[in-house]
Amino acid sequence: MADSKNNLNTKSSPNPRMTAFRVLMRVQGEGGYSNIALSEALEASHSEPRDRAFITRLVYGVLEKTEYLDHVISSYVKTGSRIEPEVRCLLRMAVYQMVFMNTPDSAAVNESVNLAKRLKLFRATGFINGLLRSFIRDGREVRLPDRKKQPEKYLSIRYSCPLWLVRLWRESYGNEICERILESLEGRPPIFLRVNTTRVSTRELVDRLNKVGVQATATETIPGCVCIGETGDVTVLPGFAEGLFHVQDASSQLCCAVASPAGGSVVYDVCAAPGGKSFTMAELMSDKGKIISCDLYPHRVALIADGAGRLRLHCIEPTVRDALGECQPECANLVLCDAPCSGLGIIRRKPDIKRKPQEEIQELPDLQYRILEHSSRMVKKGGRLIYSTCTLNPAENLSVIARFLDHHSEFEPCAIRLPDGIRRAIDEPDYALTLFPHIFNTDGFFISSVRRKE
């Protein structure tokens, strides 16, 4: 339906819809990261604040609602018809504006047709115009699949989630938890702060934030954890420049609480960047002892160093190190292995995670196991090994740590003591804990703990 590939570098005035289109094509067509693509495009466009807000909402909205939007589009296309990626992107943008942004129908249609012309998609203009006007004539009614006859397809389209991921969560956690996870993806995630308890008390920080109009509340389940309301750029909040807190989800803070490193101990954080867990553990240790905070890439290790410097934490040693590289045997009291994962627990923060190929995710458990096995060599006798991820996928979580225990008799399970107010939502062993967004409003997260035998 297009007579040529569009030129994404077409010179034009800073049209917000064109900017959004280019970002979406970069993300959905080339596999780019949405936050990076959007940030670069906004900087290059020199857009006004109102246009920047429009572009941001449109880009993230289309990414979040892709299955829903494609369902609308496919209902007006003959089965088997192929729509060029550029044309499909324009249609997704138009339908999203009409359904979710209250954009006048005429504006959504006319702007989409004009964009097609500017992109030299001349043969597609009639198709775009006709499809969108048919949708308008039908009252913009969206008919979802029958929930009883096609439950997985219904959930996939209703919550705009890939069908394979709906199936994974239904099979892993059951129908109810699956739908609650999907519901949670539609909400805005909370912002949690970790109080730098080496420099200020939780009460003092909460009072200081409240005085400037920031809604801040200390959580009851995790000492030193504060939840704040929408506030914009957290780096301008009082106390940030002074190093009185860092941003860290409650799930990661709980992971550090489970690790519970003792002051004066030696800790390895093997996949540490940007350093949040290292910072929290240093605070739990009263900045006494040593935390070797590792990452493969120097620029990411620099983020750890910068954060530790701002927080004035001195026991952290930022280190460039491959998680599968050489290591000193039995040198640490505690090793935290927060392994690279699919990120299925943080989709509401990064909606393009849903667009990862399923095949890519299926390859992760073997890598995670290798990193965990390699990291375990550094644990002293009597020391502990924490394995965690920010994903909701048993193959990356319990299966990895269970496989490790099966093959390493020198380690034994170490029961996790749950704080008051935290309960398990699924049947799992006492050395493992899965956190679900719909229960505690945290990221989806997995924590497990084992100990090297004396």
Side-chain angles (χ1 to χ4, degrees):
M1 292 180 184
D3 44 11
S4 66
K5 291 287 182 184
N6 68 289
N7 180 3
L8 297 183
N9 297 315
T10 302
K11 291 183 179 180
S12 63
S13 59
N15 181 305
R17 289 178 174 84
M18 179 65 83
T19 302
F21 170 83
R22 287 171 172 159
V23 173
L24 287 166
M25 286 304 299
R26 182 175 168 186
V27 173
Q28 296 184 313
E30 303 171 18
Y33 292 104
S34 61
N35 59 331
I36 296 174
L38 179 60
S39 177
E40 291 177 352
L42 290 175
E43 183 177 353
S45 71
H46 304 290
S47 300
E48 297 293 327
R50 182 177 177 181
D51 286 342
R52 293 170 70 94
F54 176 89
I55 294 164
T56 300
R57 184 177 176 191
L58 183 54
V59 166
Y60 282 123
V62 170
L63 291 174
E64 290 171 357
K65 299 292 185 182
T66 296
E67 283 75 16
Y68 186 92
L69 301 173
D70 283 350
H71 175 71
V72 173
I73 294 167
S74 65
S75 63
Y76 292 93
V77 179
K78 291 182 180 179
T79 303
S81 297
R82 181 177 180 273
I83 304 176
E84 293 288 341
E86 298 85 355
V87 176
R88 184 176 291 278
C89 184
L90 291 174
L91 289 169
R92 287 170 176 168
M93 289 168 56
V95 174
Y96 185 84
Q97 290 171 72
M98 288 191 283
V99 176
F100 298 103
M101 295 182 71
N102 296 318
T103 301
D105 294 341
S106 58
V109 175
N110 294 337
E111 289 292 339
S112 298
V113 171
N114 289 337
L115 277 184
K117 291 177 180 177
R118 290 180 61 184
L119 293 163
K120 304 186 187 308
L121 301 168
F122 299 114
R123 289 176 56 189
T125 56
F127 169 72
I128 293 171
N129 183 69
L131 187 150
L132 295 177
R133 294 199 180 280
S134 295
F135 181 48
I136 294 168
R137 282 195 300 272
D138 290 342
R140 294 187 295 167
E141 182 181 354
V142 180
R143 297 182 180 88
L144 297 177
D146 187 287
R147 180 167 187 152
K148 292 183 178 180
K149 294 180 180 178
Q150 297 177 291
E152 291 177 344
K153 188 174 182 182
Y154 168 84
L155 292 173
S156 173
I157 294 168
R158 165 64 181 82
Y159 295 104
S160 288
C161 191
L163 189 60
W164 70 264
L165 185 49
V166 172
R167 287 173 176 159
L168 169 66
W169 284 339
R170 285 187 84 214
E171 293 170 1
S172 300
Y173 307 121
N175 294 335
E176 182 179 352
I177 289 181
C178 172
E179 187 157 6
R180 297 293 84 78
I181 295 172
L182 293 168
E183 287 176 350
S184 74
L185 302 184
E186 296 188 320
R188 295 183 68 96
I191 301 172
F192 290 100
L193 308 180
R194 166 66 198 185
V195 180
N196 184 354
T197 50
T198 67
R199 305 196 53 223
V200 68
S201 71
T202 302
R203 184 70 265 163
E204 288 170 333
L205 182 64
V206 168
D207 289 344
R208 190 167 174 181
L209 293 172
N210 286 337
K211 284 180 180 178
V212 295
V214 176
Q215 184 181 356
T217 308
T219 64
E220 296 181 359
T221 53
I222 307 171
C225 180
V226 173
C227 184
I228 62 172
E230 286 297 325
T231 179
D233 185 0
V234 297
T235 64
V236 301
L237 292 179
F240 181 85
E242 301 166 62
L244 303 187
F245 67 86
H246 67 273
V247 178
Q248 185 182 33
D249 189 72
S251 57
S252 295
Q253 295 191 46
L254 180 58
C255 179
C256 295
V258 169
S260 189
S265 59
V266 176
V267 178
Y268 266 83
D269 189 354
V270 298
C271 300
K277 295 184 184 66
S278 290
F279 305 153
T280 300
M281 288 191 294
E283 291 156 4
L284 292 173
M285 295 163 62
S286 300
D287 203 20
K288 297 176 181 178
K290 181 165 65 173
I291 299 177
I292 298 88
S293 190
C294 311
D295 199 86
L296 178 60
Y297 301 105
H299 71 278
R300 287 176 60 78
V301 173
L303 296 176
I304 303 172
D306 290 345
R310 181 179 63 82
L311 295 163
R312 302 182 194 177
L313 296 171
H314 306 290
C315 74
I316 295 174
E317 298 182 7
T319 305
V320 177
R321 177 183 175 274
D322 187 342
L324 293 172
E326 291 185 12
C327 63
Q328 181 181 349
E330 299 188 28
C331 60
N333 305 99
L334 172 70
V335 174
L336 173 59
C337 180
D338 189 63
C341 68
S342 59
L344 299 180
I346 57 173
I347 289 175
R348 60 181 176 174
R349 298 187 189 276
K350 299 179 179 180
D352 42 328
I353 287 176
K354 290 191 290 187
R355 310 300 158 211
K356 285 186 177 182
Q358 184 180 6
E359 298 75 21
E360 179 183 317
I361 292 174
Q362 290 173 337
E363 297 171 359
L364 285 169
D366 280 340
L367 172 63
Q368 292 157 341
Y369 178 77
R370 288 168 56 212
I371 291 175
L372 177 64
E373 188 175 49
H374 196 77
S375 301
S376 71
R377 301 173 188 175
M378 295 185 289
V379 181
K380 291 181 177 181
K381 291 180 180 179
R384 287 184 306 129
L385 172 64
I386 304 295
Y387 173 72
S388 63
T389 72
C390 59
T391 194
L392 294 173
N393 178 13
E396 298 178 66
N397 293 341
L398 186 57
S399 293
V400 172
I401 192 67
R403 176 185 174 188
F404 175 81
L405 287 169
D406 284 345
H407 289 84
H408 290 273
S409 58
E410 71 275 23
F411 281 85
E412 61 185 358
C414 182
I416 294 174
R417 296 178 60 184
L418 300 183
D420 292 340
I422 300 291
R423 59 180 177 80
R424 287 184 172 81
I426 58 174
D427 184 20
E428 55 190 345
D430 62 5
Y431 64 86
L433 174 64
T434 304
L435 298 171
F436 294 94
H438 64 282
I439 296 179
F440 303 110
N441 209 18
T442 66
D443 292 339
F445 208 87
F446 176 79
I447 308 166
S448 59
S449 176
V450 296
R451 179 189 292 109
R452 182 184 285 274
K453 296 176 182 177
E454 293 285 359

